[in-house]
């Protein structure tokens, strides 16, 4: 059942913001130590595609804005405490969306094929991290009794 109360929507945005910051906290060191198979963070590449050369903080803000919007939108649409399978399907859908539309926009080609053949595999890890943090945030922010009272699915 979708969130249709203001308190629930505010909590969804909070969960989205925590998910964005948590994901960045895990992913940024992987880029710093060159442990991810991508030439640069996709949010930085997107910011540079739109605005030209920019400070890395602009890419970080793009990441926080996008992940917050997508995460909170998902929770508003699906409801409190979505099951693991729903989050997994959502993350897979986001990964596919990135491969066929987002990566070509930033000049990496479909699945990053014009940069490296391993970019598509490298993009799976951040999406798994995103899903795990989103699941944990939805469980932490929305209490179990609150979800039952709202009639949402709890598993």
């Amino acid at each position: 059942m979708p969130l249709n109360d203001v308190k629930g929507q505010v909590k969804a945005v909070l969960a989205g913001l925590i998910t964005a910051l948590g994901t960045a906290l895990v992913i940024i060191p992987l880029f710093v130590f060159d442990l991810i198979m991508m030439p640069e963070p996709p949010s930085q590449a997107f910011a540079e595609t739109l605005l030209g050369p920019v400070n890395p903080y602009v890419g970080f803000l793009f990441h926080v804005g996008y992940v917050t919007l997508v995460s909170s939108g998902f929770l508003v649409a699906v409801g409190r405490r979505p099951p693991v399978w729903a989050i997994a399907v959502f993350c897979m859908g986001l990964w596919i969306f990135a491969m066929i539309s987002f990566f070509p926009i930033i000049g990496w080609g479909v699945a990053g094929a014009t940069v490296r053949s391993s970019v598509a595999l490298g993009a799976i890890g951040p999406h798994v991290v995103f899903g795990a943090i989103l699941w944990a945030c939805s469980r932490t922010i929305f209490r179990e009794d609150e979800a039952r009272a709202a009639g949402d699915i709890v598993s």
Side-chain angles (χ1 to χ4, degrees):
M1 173 180 248
L3 293 170
N4 57 6
D5 60 325
V6 174
K7 182 180 177 185
Q9 292 173 356
V10 168
K11 284 184 171 187
V13 170
L14 178 62
L17 183 60
I18 293 170
T19 301
L21 295 173
T23 303
L25 205 68
V26 172
I27 301 301
I28 288 174
L30 297 177
F31 276 107
V32 168
F33 295 113
D34 203 26
L35 298 173
I36 268 190
M37 298 176 274
M38 288 187 245
E40 65 182 325
S43 57
Q44 181 69 24
F46 186 68
E48 290 178 353
T49 299
L50 292 179
L51 306 172
V54 294
N55 190 305
Y57 294 114
V58 176
F60 173 74
L61 290 175
F62 269 70
H63 163 82
V64 169
Y66 170 78
V67 174
T68 301
L69 180 70
V70 168
S71 301
S72 58
F74 172 73
L75 291 174
V76 166
V78 174
R80 299 162 174 85
R81 299 172 61 100
V84 172
W85 66 264
I87 291 176
V89 169
F90 178 61
C91 291
M92 185 189 319
L94 286 176
W95 179 75
I96 291 169
F97 174 77
M99 294 301 106
I100 62 174
S101 64
F102 188 72
F103 280 12
I105 289 171
I106 61 176
W108 293 1
V110 175
T114 61
V115 179
R116 278 187 224 158
S117 60
S118 60
V119 169
L121 290 176
I124 291 173
H127 285 87
V128 171
V129 169
F130 163 77
I133 294 173
L134 179 60
W135 178 83
C137 283
S138 71
R139 293 292 190 242
T140 303
I141 291 175
F142 295 107
R143 296 185 318 267
E144 189 172 353
D145 58 338
E146 183 181 20
R148 285 196 180 130
D152 290 345
I153 298 173
V154 177
S155 53

